[in-house]
Amino acid sequence: MIAAAKTNIACELLLLLALATLWGASYTFIKIGVETIPPITLIAARTLIAGAILLAVIGWRGLSLPRDAATWRRLLFQACLNSVLPFTLIAWAERTIDAGVAAILNSTTPIFAFLLTALITRHEAVTTRKFVGVVAGLTGTSLVIGLEAFRGIGDQLAAQIAVVIATVCYAGAAIFGKGFKDLDPIIPAAGSLISGAALLVPASLIVDQPWTLTPSAQSLTALLGLSVFSTALAFAIYFRLIQTLGSVGATAQAYVRVPIGVAIGVLFLGETLSATAWLGLGCVILGVAAMTMPAGRAVPAVVPKG
């Protein structure tokens, strides 16, 4: 039983790494996308394409979306917390701030999830170990990026506040998303994206009049990558991790997004890592482990639903 639990936890941590990679790439996709596509239209297309992909997967698996109004009201609220507001705010912010600064500010999601859990919902155990994990993860993120990345903070205050608000939305979404544990993870993923598209597409038609736009090939390619990989696939993984690792554990990927972005720069852009960055990677690993590994000797097996 214990060996099986360890195997399952290892699988969940690999999925956590995959999710961090997919969402880590989203900042670059967004930065390229908003160069020629307005934020509302970019995010409307993102949710619409990703939702359509997940609908196709649901049909292929022989599943069906819920039909009761109560569940759809919950999905609509989840969409506001997990896509409509944060996606649009980050896209708007990245028109004026660097993707790196957005990644730093957005990496505080686990902190807000931890605080909301500790102060309001109390649906998960709030332990010293998780608190240490939060601190270690944020410290590691700062070391990986380098303190010089914070020099721009304050210069574009409105955009930075927008990212912080988006981060709080993500934290609330992680907690609220626990309420869908009776559904296959792909159902709330698809339902929330469809609900988000239902709100954003009309807004795009009214505000941006997308038929008048002339997006570049680079922006369209970025939109496709953002929709397929950083949204459709990422959401399916995300809702599974909420069920298996918990809301705080699932948001731990926010820390891993940053070192992954740095690694991509090292491999493909010829950038270099400082000594503090390597130290930061160690802190990130410790932080993620502290927030996701189960406590106690006898660990029950993690049985994913779906």
Side-chain angles (χ1 to χ4, degrees), residues 68-287:
D68 59 293
T71 299
W72 278 103
R73 283 195 295 268
R74 292 164 55 210
L75 288 170
L76 183 63
F77 184 69
Q78 178 73 18
C80 292
L81 288 177
N82 211 39
S83 58
V84 176
L85 290 175
F87 284 2
T88 306
L89 287 170
I90 291 173
W92 175 80
E94 285 202 48
R95 302 188 84 178
T96 55
I97 66 174
D98 292 338
V101 173
I104 295 170
L105 295 174
N106 204 216
S107 71
T108 58
T109 298
I111 291 179
F112 288 107
F114 178 86
L115 293 175
L116 288 174
T117 298
L119 300 176
I120 301 176
T121 65
R122 300 183 180 180
H123 67 285
E124 294 179 18
V126 177
T127 64
T128 301
R129 179 169 57 86
K130 285 185 178 181
F131 177 77
V132 171
V134 167
V135 174
L138 186 58
T139 301
T141 298
S142 302
L143 290 171
V144 169
I145 288 292
L147 296 179
E148 65 274 6
F150 288 93
R151 290 177 182 171
I153 290 183
D155 294 342
Q156 301 93 20
L157 186 59
Q160 290 155 8
I161 290 176
V163 177
V164 172
I165 294 173
T167 300
V168 177
C169 289
Y170 281 140
I175 294 172
F176 188 76
K178 291 280 288 183
F180 298 104
K181 62 183 179 180
D182 55 326
L183 301 175
D184 185 287
I186 199 172
I187 300 299
S192 63
L193 286 170
I194 294 169
S195 299
L199 294 175
L200 287 167
V201 169
S204 168
L205 295 175
I206 295 171
V207 175
D208 295 331
Q209 299 180 344
W211 59 87
T212 65
L213 303 175
T214 54
S216 67
Q218 287 183 325
S219 290
L220 290 174
T221 302
L223 170 60
L224 187 61
L226 182 66
S227 304
V228 175
F229 299 107
S230 296
T231 310
L233 180 57
F235 262 47
I237 296 174
Y238 171 71
F239 278 97
R240 169 185 169 130
L241 290 176
I242 286 180
Q243 295 181 12
T244 57
L245 296 182
S247 55
V248 175
T251 57
Q253 50 71 34
Y255 294 135
V256 191
R257 289 200 300 259
V258 178
I260 285 176
V262 173
I264 291 174
V266 171
L267 293 174
F268 299 102
L269 301 178
E271 298 175 352
T272 58
L273 275 178
S274 65
T276 56
W278 288 111
L279 179 60
L281 286 173
C283 290
V284 167
I285 293 171
L286 289 175

